[in-house]
Amino acid sequence: MKQSKLFSKTRKEAPNDETSASARLLIRGGFVEKIGAGIYAMLPLGLRVLNNIEKIIAEEMDAIGGQRILMTALMPKRNWEMTGRWSSLDVLFKIVRENGESYALGATHEEEVVPLVQKFVFSYKDLPFSVYQIQTKFRDELRAKSGLLRLREFSMKDLYSFHADEAGLDVFYEKAKDAYFKVYERAGIKDKTFLTFASGGSFAKFSHEFQMLTDAGEDIIYICKKCSLAINKEIKAEYPVCPECQGAEFEEKKAIEVGNIFKLKTKYSDPFNLQFTDKDGQKKLVIMGTYGIGLTRLMGAIAEARHDDFGILWPREVAPFDIHLIALNSTNEADFEKIRTAADKLYLDLQKTGLEVLYDDRTDKSAGEKFKDGDLLGIPFRIVVSEKTLQKDSAELKARDSNSQELVSLNEIVTRKF
Amino acid sequence: MKQSKLFSKTRKEAPNDETSASARLLIRGGFVEKIGAGIYAMLPLGLRVLNNIEKIIAEEMDAIGGQRILMTALMPKRNWEMTGRWSSLDVLFKIVRENGESYALGATHEEEVVPLVQKFVFSYKDLPFSVYQIQTKFRDELRAKSGLLRLREFSMKDLYSFHADEAGLDVFYEKAKDAYFKVYERAGIKDKTFLTFASGGSFAKFSHEFQMLTDAGEDIIYICKKCSLAINKEIKAEYPVCPECQGAEFEEKKAIEVGNIFKLKTKYSDPFNLQFTDKDGQKKLVIMGTYGIGLTRLMGAIAEARHDDFGILWPREVAPFDIHLIALNSTNEADFEKIRTAADKLYLDLQKTGLEVLYDDRTDKSAGEKFKDGDLLGIPFRIVVSEKTLQKDSAELKARDSNSQELVSLNEIVTRKF
């Protein structure tokens, strides 16, 4: 994409009401724009990042057999009454129509997925299976703050698994754990993310969270020095020693939850009477698990974990583009044309090799402004074409996370493996 | 995908409250499931169709320079008050938080996109451009009915264009028209879809609709016999002759709107004072256009336009899979194994050529049941492997829209161009 065509632009300053580094950099870079407290629109570059995160998560959910569906945001009140969460889930947005009919706006989807799959589950032969969706969720967070880290409207992947027995759930639960760590690895934050034993909230007694270390986080976790399992502060008093390895030494850290998984067992199959007929002809309740990752929060968390004073360092699979091609300007018309011709050609040639390229072809920006924007946008590789580099038939290549650059000939750079 | 793993299943009967053919077939095929009036969840096969429609529309919007963004469903009340639509748009769902703060649920996005782009538009140099999103829309339709044709919650593409003058808008408007017809062509309904002169509703005085002929439609249009421009009944009285060619003979038809485009001009830039500085240093209001296609409705319209008594006939680019591979069963164990081996191999080989294959590997279904399901699902090509076909080292190939089938050797079928 040509940067001169991009309607969104970078900003020198972030709004004063944004306190987290990620929110400040995401707004300054023109990735997102605040619409209201806890409500952000995705601009072209931000949507590319979010879509890349979606692709990673969908691939990993597909890999463990998840079947992708799309449930609804408008959810009839009666289902929420059946589980008691119409009154107990305080973050539920509610809509009352003029005729008195009410909807909840989807904050989570147990209340929809259970009656939905009930239409197709009859026998043990229909089990196990899992379904997932990537959808906008709505939660009336009083403390909406920190940019993308705590939102009222956000994109979330929620997967639900259905089993004939707890042994089946246990097997799938471990698979899901592995899949989650694959997501964090591809998203560039695995080294900072810890499996954390936590309370189960309105879903179950206990859960496992995936907590990413960051000072912008609102959670406190205690990491077992022996086995690296973490325990959320909310239940730490119940666990003087690590439940995994009995270790008694912990490190206290600030962190943010970037995923959580719950063994629901029969908590939500029971109110809807989601049953199946087992091999022995007996009717039994279906055993369930639920597995969530907030995509928008993950985007904020990545920006939080991977930035320096000048901007974001997007990991390769998440970055809005692979290459940031920058053509510098020249006051000499012949030089200007020469640079343009070489950069235009590079733009096409790099794209032909399958790379996604943002081409800074703006004619009204200085080299300094272009480099600053480059650091802010945080695309993994920067290629600069200038009068100076063309004197050696070359372009200058620099990785965003490196301090050194190298001159590479124009011929070689299009054959380079990025 | 293996059909034995698919949690959704076909049904013999559709619910009684579904009257349109498309809704009945989409539910019987396990494409969608009704959650409430005007609210449907997408099951795996339906979501694949919807995603294919999304891909077509995104590609055609990208081709005319649209920059993809994602705005929000929660929209602060104040913006809707500025345009007067908080009280005038009767389909607006409204949410009141406990502290009295109110949101509209996005029914359309002029109220968000104008203040959003305002942060980036200053000079004529920033114009023209266009942005679009594909997002869930919410409209409190009293008459929610006909399955996917009139919904309270649905996926929509809305594009907004911004120009320095009306001449610029006119040029882009024609480009958008062409792009829309490309969408309908790829979606397999171009021959039934007519550009229709219509009222502009809350957006403008007039608009152009794209109306697809179907008896399930709620609109009446008059098609000019000379130039094929249609006129919506709502404004026909004002146009005794065709405004395009002055023809006076019309054909009356029932139709459904599958897209509409509006020249907003300054209708929404005015209340937000979206200005730019022109070449002459003068501040002027930005000129706008808006362009919508409901993806979910388009899915319903395709099913309405392209079905027979036995099921849907998905056009190739929209179909959930390219090939429906069906392995018949045999009571003879050796034959059963032979069929499985051949079909399993074909499943892998066809996928290796880049085709998407639904493999009916179910062991508890008769040939008749499998063929019936095949017609209902409406995948463009059916390949059957059976005892009989294997006697000639072949499989039987049949297109969904054809009455004849042919035996094709197993070697040849994987080199066939589908």
Side-chain angles (χ1 to χ4, degrees):
Chain A
M1 171 164 215
K2 289 186 176 175
Q3 212 165 334
S4 63
K5 301 285 181 198
L6 194 64
F7 88 92
S8 59
K9 297 173 182 75
T10 59
R11 297 182 190 179
K12 288 214 172 66
E13 295 295 338
N16 286 328
D17 61 342
E18 294 292 355
T19 52
S20 73
S22 57
R24 297 181 67 81
L25 293 172
L26 288 167
I27 291 175
R28 283 188 53 214
F31 292 96
V32 303
E33 186 64 40
K34 185 174 185 169
I35 304 299
I39 306 171
Y40 288 78
M42 291 283 152
L43 299 177
L45 297 178
L47 184 57
R48 292 180 75 102
V49 171
L50 192 67
N51 286 346
N52 288 338
I53 292 173
E54 176 171 333
K55 186 168 176 284
I56 291 171
I57 293 177
E59 284 173 3
E60 297 301 341
M61 295 305 112
D62 290 344
I64 57 171
Q67 298 181 42
R68 189 163 177 180
I69 63 174
L70 181 61
M71 289 184 279
T72 66
L74 295 176
M75 299 170 76
K77 178 182 181 180
R78 63 176 180 281
N79 288 4
W80 289 87
E81 286 178 326
M82 285 176 78
T83 63
R85 288 205 286 190
W86 180 261
S87 46
S88 70
L89 196 64
D90 56 1
V91 295
L92 214 53
F93 278 116
K94 294 168 184 175
I95 296 177
V96 184
R97 298 183 66 220
E98 283 195 9
N99 68 1
E101 192 185 354
S102 296
Y103 300 116
L105 270 191
T108 177
H109 276 75
E110 287 78 13
E111 277 78 357
E112 186 162 315
V113 78
V114 174
L116 180 67
V117 306
Q118 193 164 34
K119 296 183 175 165
F120 304 107
V121 171
F122 307 100
S123 137
Y124 69 93
K125 290 180 191 165
D126 299 320
L127 298 169
F129 68 94
S130 60
V131 300
Y132 75 99
Q133 62 174 352
I134 293 172
Q135 192 206 28
T136 306
K137 291 278 189 285
F138 302 90
R139 293 183 186 171
D140 195 354
E141 296 282 357
L142 292 177
R143 301 173 302 148
K145 61 169 189 179
S146 297
L148 302 190
L149 302 182
R150 185 172 291 278
L151 292 168
R152 295 202 178 127
E153 173 176 350
F154 55 96
S155 175
M156 181 170 166
K157 183 282 301 174
D158 40 332
L159 184 143
Y160 305 88
S161 71
F162 302 87
H163 310 272
D165 52 36
E166 288 197 23
L169 170 60
D170 292 346
V171 169
F172 187 84
Y173 194 82
E174 293 305 314
K175 268 199 211 176
K177 260 187 208 166
D178 292 345
Y180 270 48
F181 276 114
K182 283 182 189 160
V183 168
Y184 302 126
E185 175 148 39
R186 294 173 68 179
I189 58 164
K190 191 185 172 191
D191 56 333
K192 294 193 176 186
T193 302
F194 290 83
L195 185 68
T196 304
F197 202 46
S199 142
S202 76
F203 297 93
K205 189 167 184 208
F206 296 110
S207 70
H208 283 100
E209 295 173 340
F210 298 82
Q211 290 274 2
M212 189 199 85
L213 304 186
T214 169
D215 286 339
E218 293 175 345
D219 288 335
I220 305 286
I221 62 170
Y222 295 87
I223 305 169
C224 171
K225 288 190 174 175
K226 204 165 146 197
C227 77
S228 290
L229 179 75
I231 303 173
N232 193 307
K233 187 178 182 178
E234 60 187 5
I235 60 160
K236 180 67 180 74
E238 299 175 51
Y239 292 92
V241 299
C242 172
E244 186 71 25
C245 72
Q246 279 70 50
E249 280 187 84
F250 296 92
E251 196 177 3
E252 183 184 299
K253 287 282 189 184
K254 284 189 84 174
I256 183 164
E257 176 261 296
V258 289
N260 50 15
I261 59 178
F262 304 85
K263 293 186 180 177
L264 298 174
K265 299 182 184 171
T266 61
K267 179 154 181 157
Y268 292 94
S269 47
D270 188 24
F272 295 100
N273 202 27
L274 173 61
Q275 291 188 327
F276 69 101
T277 306
D278 209 348
K279 283 176 192 166
D280 54 12
Q282 298 284 309
K283 294 262 189 202
K284 292 179 183 164
L285 286 171
V286 172
I287 305 295
M288 289 178 60
T290 186
Y291 315 80
I293 298 184
L295 280 74
T296 325
R297 178 182 285 191
L298 185 55
M299 176 172 164
I302 295 167
E304 201 59 58
R306 299 176 55 113
H307 71 268
D308 58 22
D309 290 345
F310 310 105
I312 299 168
L313 288 77
W314 292 113
R316 182 62 187 278
E317 277 209 71
V318 167
F321 291 91
D322 302 308
I323 307 276
H324 199 174
L325 172 65
I326 295 178
L328 296 190
N329 294 308
S330 171
T331 48
N332 177 307
E333 203 175 311
D335 284 336
F336 178 93
E337 284 306 322
K338 208 175 137 196
I339 295 166
R340 284 292 138 162
T341 307
D344 286 357
K345 183 170 185 310
L346 212 47
Y347 177 52
L348 296 176
D349 289 347
L350 288 166
Q351 288 181 99
K352 274 184 206 149
T353 70
L355 292 165
E356 300 203 321
V357 182
L358 180 66
Y359 174 20
D360 189 348
D361 62 334
R362 296 174 300 171
T363 55
D364 58 346
K365 300 287 171 196
S366 69
E369 288 171 309
K370 291 191 170 199
F371 292 152
K372 259 196 186 150
D373 278 355
D375 284 345
L376 189 52
L377 297 187
I379 294 166
F381 297 98
R382 183 182 86 184
I383 296 176
V384 177
V385 179
S386 70
E387 238 171 287
K388 215 175 83 186
T389 69
L390 288 185
Q391 280 166 10
K392 298 193 175 167
D393 276 328
S394 297
E396 184 194 89
L397 173 66
K398 178 182 171 300
R400 176 64 181 86
D401 60 1
S402 155
N403 288 319
S404 63
Q405 51 244 17
E406 56 171 324
L407 267 185
V408 183
S409 81
L410 294 173
N411 288 331
E412 195 201 323
I413 208 158
V414 294
T415 59
R416 187 65 79 105
K417 287 277 160 285
F418 285 99
Chain B
M1 172 165 214
K2 290 186 176 176
Q3 212 165 332
S4 62
K5 301 284 182 200
L6 195 63
F7 87 91
S8 59
K9 296 173 182 76
T10 59
R11 296 183 192 180
K12 287 213 174 67
E13 296 295 336
N16 286 327
D17 62 341
E18 294 292 355
T19 53
S20 73
S22 57
R24 296 181 68 81
L25 293 173
L26 287 167
I27 291 174
R28 285 188 50 213
F31 291 96
V32 303
E33 187 64 41
K34 186 174 185 169
I35 303 299
I39 306 171
Y40 289 77
M42 291 283 152
L43 299 177
L45 297 178
L47 184 58
R48 291 179 76 102
V49 171
L50 193 67
N51 286 345
N52 288 338
I53 291 173
E54 176 171 332
K55 184 168 176 284
I56 291 172
I57 293 177
E59 284 173 4
E60 297 301 340
M61 296 304 110
D62 290 345
I64 57 170
Q67 299 181 41
R68 189 163 177 180
I69 63 174
L70 181 62
M71 290 184 280
T72 66
L74 295 175
M75 298 169 77
K77 178 181 182 182
R78 64 177 179 281
N79 288 5
W80 289 87
E81 287 178 323
M82 286 174 80
T83 62
R85 289 205 285 190
W86 179 260
S87 46
S88 71
L89 196 63
D90 56 1
V91 296
L92 215 53
F93 278 116
K94 294 168 183 174
I95 297 176
V96 184
R97 298 184 66 219
E98 283 195 9
N99 69 1
E101 191 185 356
S102 295
Y103 300 116
L105 270 191
T108 177
H109 277 76
E110 287 78 13
E111 277 78 356
E112 186 161 315
V113 77
V114 174
L116 179 67
V117 305
Q118 193 164 34
K119 296 186 174 162
F120 303 108
V121 171
F122 307 101
S123 137
Y124 69 93
K125 291 180 191 165
D126 299 321
L127 298 170
F129 69 93
S130 61
V131 301
Y132 76 98
Q133 62 174 352
I134 293 172
Q135 192 207 27
T136 306
K137 291 277 188 286
F138 301 89
R139 292 183 187 170
D140 195 354
E141 295 282 357
L142 292 178
R143 302 172 302 146
K145 62 169 188 178
S146 297
L148 302 190
L149 301 182
R150 185 172 292 278
L151 292 168
R152 295 201 178 127
E153 173 176 350
F154 55 95
S155 174
M156 182 170 167
K157 183 282 301 175
D158 40 332
L159 183 143
Y160 306 88
S161 71
F162 303 88
H163 310 272
D165 52 37
E166 288 196 24
L169 170 60
D170 292 346
V171 169
F172 187 84
Y173 194 81
E174 294 306 314
K175 267 199 211 176
K177 261 188 208 165
D178 292 345
Y180 270 48
F181 276 114
K182 283 182 187 159
V183 169
Y184 303 126
E185 175 150 37
R186 295 173 68 180
I189 58 164
K190 191 186 174 194
D191 55 335
K192 294 193 176 189
T193 302
F194 290 82
L195 186 68
T196 304
F197 202 46
S199 143
S202 76
F203 298 93
K205 189 167 182 208
F206 296 110
S207 71
H208 283 100
E209 295 174 339
F210 299 82
Q211 290 275 1
M212 189 198 85
L213 304 186
T214 169
D215 286 339
E218 294 174 345
D219 288 335
I220 304 285
I221 62 169
Y222 295 87
I223 305 170
C224 171
K225 288 191 174 177
K226 204 166 146 195
C227 78
S228 290
L229 179 75
I231 303 174
N232 193 307
K233 186 178 184 179
E234 61 187 5
I235 61 160
K236 180 66 182 72
E238 300 175 51
Y239 292 92
V241 299
C242 172
E244 187 70 25
C245 73
Q246 277 70 52
E249 280 187 83
F250 296 92
E251 196 178 3
E252 184 185 298
K253 287 282 190 183
K254 286 189 83 174
I256 183 164
E257 176 261 296
V258 289
N260 49 14
I261 59 179
F262 305 83
K263 291 186 180 178
L264 297 175
K265 299 182 184 172
T266 60
K267 179 153 180 156
Y268 292 95
S269 47
D270 188 25
F272 294 101
N273 202 26
L274 173 62
Q275 291 187 326
F276 70 100
T277 306
D278 209 349
K279 282 175 191 166
D280 54 12
Q282 298 283 310
K283 292 261 190 203
K284 291 178 185 165
L285 286 172
V286 173
I287 306 294
M288 289 178 60
T290 185
Y291 315 79
I293 297 184
L295 281 74
T296 325
R297 178 183 284 192
L298 186 54
M299 176 172 164
I302 295 167
E304 201 59 58
R306 301 176 52 112
H307 72 268
D308 57 21
D309 291 347
F310 310 106
I312 300 168
L313 287 78
W314 293 113
R316 181 62 186 276
E317 277 208 71
V318 167
F321 290 91
D322 301 308
I323 307 276
H324 198 174
L325 173 65
I326 295 178
L328 297 190
N329 294 308
S330 171
T331 48
N332 176 307
E333 203 175 313
D335 285 335
F336 179 93
E337 284 306 321
K338 210 175 137 195
I339 294 166
R340 285 292 137 162
T341 306
D344 286 357
K345 182 170 186 309
L346 213 45
Y347 178 53
L348 296 176
D349 289 348
L350 287 167
Q351 288 182 101
K352 273 184 205 150
T353 70
L355 292 164
E356 300 201 322
V357 182
L358 180 66
Y359 174 20
D360 189 347
D361 62 334
R362 296 174 300 170
T363 54
D364 58 347
K365 300 287 171 197
S366 69
E369 289 171 309
K370 291 192 170 198
F371 292 152
K372 258 194 188 150
D373 278 356
D375 284 344
L376 188 52
L377 297 186
I379 294 165
F381 297 99
R382 184 183 87 184
I383 296 176
V384 177
V385 179
S386 71
E387 237 171 290
K388 216 176 80 185
T389 69
L390 288 184
Q391 281 166 9
K392 298 191 176 170
D393 275 329
S394 298
E396 184 194 87
L397 173 66
K398 177 182 172 300
R400 176 65 180 84
D401 60 1
S402 156
N403 288 318
S404 64
Q405 51 244 14
E406 57 171 322
L407 268 185
V408 182
S409 81
L410 294 173
N411 288 332
E412 194 200 324
I413 208 157
V414 294
T415 60
R416 187 65 79 105
K417 287 278 162 284
F418 286 100

